[in-house]
Amino acid sequence: MSSSSDLSRFQHRRRLALAALITVAFVALLFVQSALPAGSKSHEYVEVVGFVLILVAILGRTWCTLYIGGRKSAEIVDKGPYSVTRNPLYVFSAIGAGGVGALMGSVTVAVIFAVLTYLSFLYVILVEEDYLKRTFGEVYLRYLDRVPRFFPNFSLFKDAEMLSVRPKTLYRTFTDGLIFLVAYPFFEFVEYLQDSGVLPVLFHLY
């Protein structure tokens, strides 16, 4: 199997995992409401933090693409964000998911979203690691020993002197990241339906 088809297969699994997570989470949240009163300072503060986390996720994912740019199956990228964690795209996706949860005004939902995103990506990460071990051998094993799988170690940061960027890939990653922002009007509409009594509220979470 070619490297390009391997990469496509991994990306497809990642998208399926994320789509399944989003679907289940959004359906569940139709019946959940923040225990922090809408319009209160605490509720608004959590929402603002959510927006900040989503912005970090969008910019972070774009930053990763500057370095990886479709080269993951062709070489070991160990500079920039890939020098502090082996899976920075997944790290920023988890941050974005936490931000989406925070848009509900609930810290609990934010944490649940971030943790579930990490768990949903874990299988894909392990499969990718197995593939990279077989493809790159000792070179990847040294990288694996040096750089943590998920949680960043910023003391390891190393930058590249020069980057080769694929604009199409960069634009696609940035555009994909904007999907996080769709959560805001969705949750506002759900909150309206709940306050109107159209949707029953089964749980209140702080």
Side-chain angles (χ1 to χ4, degrees):
M1 182 175 289
S2 67
S3 295
S4 60
S5 61
D6 277 333
L7 182 62
S8 296
R9 179 161 53 90
F10 294 142
Q11 290 175 336
H12 181 64
R13 288 178 177 176
R14 181 182 64 197
R15 292 190 186 101
L16 285 178
L18 189 56
L21 174 67
I22 290 173
T23 301
V24 172
F26 275 45
V27 170
L29 290 178
L30 292 176
F31 310 102
V32 175
Q33 192 174 65
S34 172
L36 300 174
S40 66
K41 288 185 177 180
S42 53
H43 186 103
E44 298 299 324
Y45 176 75
V46 174
E47 286 188 346
V48 169
V49 171
F51 275 114
V52 172
L53 291 177
I54 288 174
L55 181 61
V56 169
I58 293 173
L59 295 179
R61 285 169 53 82
T62 304
W63 180 42
C64 293
T65 304
L66 288 173
Y67 289 81
I68 198 72
R71 294 186 290 273
K72 194 168 186 176
S73 64
E75 61 184 274
I76 298 298
V77 178
D78 62 353
K79 298 296 191 296
Y82 291 88
S83 66
V84 298
T85 171
R86 301 200 301 272
N87 296 282
L89 272 170
Y90 299 152
V91 171
F92 284 114
S93 292
I95 290 173
V100 168
L103 290 183
M104 280 193 64
S106 170
V107 175
T108 302
V109 173
V111 173
I112 290 174
F113 267 37
V115 172
L116 287 180
T117 300
Y118 166 73
L119 294 176
S120 69
F121 282 143
L122 185 56
Y123 170 72
V124 180
I125 289 173
L126 294 175
V127 172
E128 286 183 343
E129 286 181 356
D130 183 62
Y131 164 74
L132 293 170
K133 287 176 186 177
R134 289 185 281 105
T135 303
F136 296 103
E138 187 62 31
V139 174
Y140 180 70
L141 290 176
R142 289 198 297 270
Y143 175 63
L144 187 149
D145 288 338
R146 185 174 72 254
V147 179
R149 171 182 288 156
F150 192 82
F151 298 100
N153 180 352
F154 295 103
S155 67
L156 299 174
F157 182 79
K158 293 186 301 182
D159 210 350
E161 293 184 4
M162 183 172 61
L163 296 172
S164 176
V165 181
R166 292 180 171 87
K168 183 178 180 180
T169 304
L170 185 67
Y171 299 152
R172 185 173 65 246
T173 300
F174 179 79
T175 304
D176 288 347
L178 295 178
I179 194 67
F180 287 116
L181 294 175
V182 175
Y184 181 71
F186 173 81
F187 286 144
E188 288 296 304
F189 183 61
V190 168
E191 187 175 295
Y192 167 76
L193 293 178
Q194 290 172 339
D195 291 340
S196 301
V198 177
L199 290 175
V201 177
L202 303 181
F203 302 99
H204 287 88
L205 298 175
Y206 283 98

